[in-house]
Amino acid sequence: MSWHQAQSTISLDWILEFTNKNDAIIDVGCGVSVLVDNLIDKRLKDHTKKVYFHHENILEFNSNHQFSLWHDRTVFHFLTDEKDQKSYIKKLTKQVKKDGYFLLSTFSPNGPKLCSELNIVQYDVKKSRNY
Ligand SMILES: C[S@@+](CC[C@H](N)C(=O)[O-])C[C@H]1O[C@@H](n2cnc3c(N)ncnc32)[C@H](O)[C@@H]1O
């Protein structure tokens, strides 16, 4: 790992502010992030059976659930092919409730050009408006 944090501060604060305890949340490409652990601590306590892990490409993910919040920290930016980017946004739109939220973070044009030694696409607010 190139870096690690013990508490998912920014995402966690945001999720706690905009969702309720019973809202369905998806953390796309969670990796070894502690976001889910932090949410369990804050919200679920002994209800860890309410956490489901799916091991698959997000582009192939399908669920009958619609989510109140879709969280993606540095996953979308790995999609360098425009067709994949559009397919991801289509999926996000389908899987998030109409009054739901998404929090999508990527590297900015001032940030690194690689993530985990892989090519990424950098975004700023202006570029994200293309979607
Ligand atoms: C840079 S890590 C970020 C992990 C976590 N979101 C965090 O903030 O600590 C990117 C993660 O996205 C996952 N990933 C990359 N492409 C993916 C895809 N197409 N579908 C699902 N997961 C993907 C990787 O396996 C990795 O766990």
Side-chain angles (χ1 to χ4, degrees), residues 116-131:
S116 306
E117 297 175 28
L118 297 169
N119 285 325
I120 53 123
V121 180
Q122 299 168 318
Y123 292 89
D124 55 15
V125 173
K126 193 169 162 218
K127 193 165 178 187
S128 69
R129 290 209 178 100
N130 294 339
Y131 296 94

Side-chain angles (χ1 to χ4, degrees), residues 28-131:
V28 176
C30 62
V32 292
S33 154
V34 292
L35 179 62
V36 67
D37 307 86
N38 294 161
L39 282 167
I40 289 168
D41 285 346
K42 298 271 181 198
R43 290 262 174 95
L44 297 174
K45 306 288 183 211
D46 54 346
H47 297 291
T48 47
K49 284 187 184 142
K50 290 185 175 173
V51 178
Y52 303 94
F53 289 93
H54 299 261
H55 185 210
E56 63 185 299
N57 185 342
I58 189 59
L59 299 176
E60 281 154 28
F61 174 76
N62 278 302
S63 170
N64 293 330
H65 275 294
Q66 273 202 309
F67 300 94
S68 296
L69 187 139
W70 174 288
H71 177 263
D72 165 341
R73 188 173 69 171
T74 59
V75 183
F76 177 71
H77 74 177
F78 285 114
L79 302 177
T80 53
D81 183 288
E82 198 181 330
K83 192 168 105 320
D84 289 343
Q85 293 160 357
K86 286 194 171 145
S87 154
Y88 178 104
I89 298 297
K90 199 169 162 194
K91 190 160 297 280
L92 186 162
T93 309
K94 176 178 163 245
Q95 299 288 167
V96 174
K97 290 181 178 174
K98 279 219 158 32
D99 58 348
Y101 296 94
F102 67 91
L103 173 56
L104 219 160
S105 39
T106 67
F107 290 174
S108 82
N110 302 324
K113 293 193 185 331
L114 299 176
C115 180
S116 306
E117 297 175 28
L118 297 169
N119 285 325
I120 53 123
V121 180
Q122 299 168 318
Y123 292 89
D124 55 15
V125 173
K126 193 169 162 218
K127 193 165 178 187
S128 69
R129 290 209 178 100
N130 294 339
Y131 296 94

Side-chain angles (χ1 to χ4, degrees), residues 12-24:
L12 184 64
D13 292 347
W14 204 84
I15 292 170
L16 291 174
E17 184 174 345
F18 288 96
T19 61
N20 296 310
K21 187 176 168 178
N22 293 320
D23 286 341

